[in-house]
Amino acid sequence: MRFTSETSSDGLLEQLFTLGEIPGVLWTPEGATGARPLILMGHGGGQHKKAPGVVARARRFVAECGFAVVAVDVPGHGDRPKDEEYDRIATENQARVDAGEDPAPLIAAFQALVARQTVPEWQAVLDAVQRLEHVGAGPVGYWGVSLGCGLGVPFVAAERRVRAAVLGLGGALVSAEAAGRITVPVEFLLQWDDERVPRAQGLALFDALGAKEKTLHANPGRHGEIPAFELDSTVRFFARHLR
Amino acid sequence: MRFTSETSSDGLLEQLFTLGEIPGVLWTPEGATGARPLILMGHGGGQHKKAPGVVARARRFVAECGFAVVAVDVPGHGDRPKDEEYDRIATENQARVDAGEDPAPLIAAFQALVARQTVPEWQAVLDAVQRLEHVGAGPVGYWGVSLGCGLGVPFVAAERRVRAAVLGLGGALVSAEAAGRITVPVEFLLQWDDERVPRAQGLALFDALGAKEKTLHANPGRHGEIPAFELDSTVRFFARHLR
């Protein structure tokens, strides 16, 4: 793990790093020492580790809860090079959708393929970050919606350090089998008028989650329109389960 | 409005009253003066104005928000005499369910009938309580699930003083038309494994709500098993919209 830059503002320390070929960012309270809960955030499709929604949420987790937050670029996103195989599949899928094919199973298959790479990558990131003195081996939370849900479901299912997860804007086709293996508390966000994920598929993914404590929060609006008050709820959810 | 008893404990003033033939209870912060938000709570079927769930919620609304809370017995419940017509219909419905009929439309029709009585009753209760110096004409909230939702939907739709409502454990058959006329923010509670309200009907009632700001909170468990953390959310919801 190699730190490439470090900046501070408003009590927040931001450290950019690379771990092998994975570019990442770590946020912690300025002057933090000792172990604390850590939240890994997965960004959405076409976004990156420092997308505005990721940064805004990370700021609150750090400022209000004193947590550490880490985010990395998904392959083919942000500071990572284009991935030729993924690009080829994406182009092929687009052509099939243009020809009238249902996009949902294509997206699901694609995300499952990418997850085979991101699950071990994210586990390596946890290993590295938790070795830092100002992060330590505290409980871990996961936050990710849309692509962050598609990649997050297999990650949360596989990674025993994760104690609570916020997921959403994803459908059952993505990962119903992995969802069934998730037993930690989940807050699941669904947009009632999601133009990308059919409502029934979102409800089916919530249904498939194996967790005994899981809450569906559904709000009117399109895919990108999660209301601001849900972030308040997310902060409280993580505070309740990771502290 | 006639007060019949008054007790205080832990900073909470409890006043029993009758308004005509309606027995009710009003909770306010001890020593309160001046106008404040008021929450009307509708109890569940077979329950009454001082059912444990009603009292527990009222205590928190008063203690944490400084609100006034009022609850009254639904006809045929608590301190009210049996209602012969309602009893006859209930007995008849039970026989039809025993004979294999779907209970949902029967319950819906019955609740619609009772609501024709409770909507004006509850409006009269608001009138009377808001004339008290320690309650006043502040914003009003409504809380009610199950029967309290069946009767609450037409009440919230009809009563312009209500600015926010927590509803749930009810289905669209009850009152989809009235639900469409509700435009104030709603937090809607659904139990994913509700043995009384089919999941699709609960989702359909949420869908039918005319409110632009509405949030569905769905949790695993049966009809009576709303998790305790939802009360935290309810307190914050009312604090956000009534203050």
Side-chain angles (χ1 to χ4, degrees), chain B residues 64-145:
Chain B
E64 291 174 38
C65 308
F67 294 169
V69 180
V70 67
V72 300
D73 288 327
V74 168
H77 289 71
D79 297 327
R80 297 183 78 154
K82 278 181 185 275
D83 182 297
E84 279 183 25
E85 194 199 346
Y86 295 153
D87 265 15
R88 186 185 53 73
I89 297 169
T91 308
E92 211 175 281
N93 283 349
Q94 192 54 54
R96 289 165 70 173
V97 171
D98 291 345
E101 215 170 309
D102 178 7
L106 299 172
I107 294 170
F110 185 59
Q111 291 186 350
L113 178 75
V114 178
R116 288 214 294 270
Q117 178 175 355
T118 52
V119 169
E121 282 190 359
W122 294 358
Q123 289 178 316
V125 168
L126 283 192
D127 292 343
V129 169
Q130 289 201 316
R131 275 196 295 266
L132 300 169
E133 197 278 325
H134 64 311
V135 178
V140 174
Y142 177 79
W143 185 96
V145 299

Side-chain angles (χ1 to χ4, degrees), chain A residues 190-193 199 216-221 225-227 229-230, chain B residues 163-167 176 179-189 202-217 237 240-241:
Chain A
L190 183 145
Q191 287 296 97
W192 203 243
D193 312 296
R199 188 185 296 166
L216 171 71
H217 284 193
N219 292 287
E225 298 177 342
I226 295 176
F229 58 76
E230 286 296 347
Chain B
R163 306 272 186 84
V166 174
L167 300 164
R181 286 185 284 116
I182 293 179
T183 55
V184 297
V186 174
E187 194 162 273
F188 189 88
L189 301 170
L203 293 172
L205 178 52
F206 173 71
D207 191 49
L209 292 167
K212 223 164 68 186
E213 184 183 331
K214 56 180 180 180
T215 303
L216 171 71
H217 284 193
F237 173 80
R240 186 149 52 94
H241 291 292

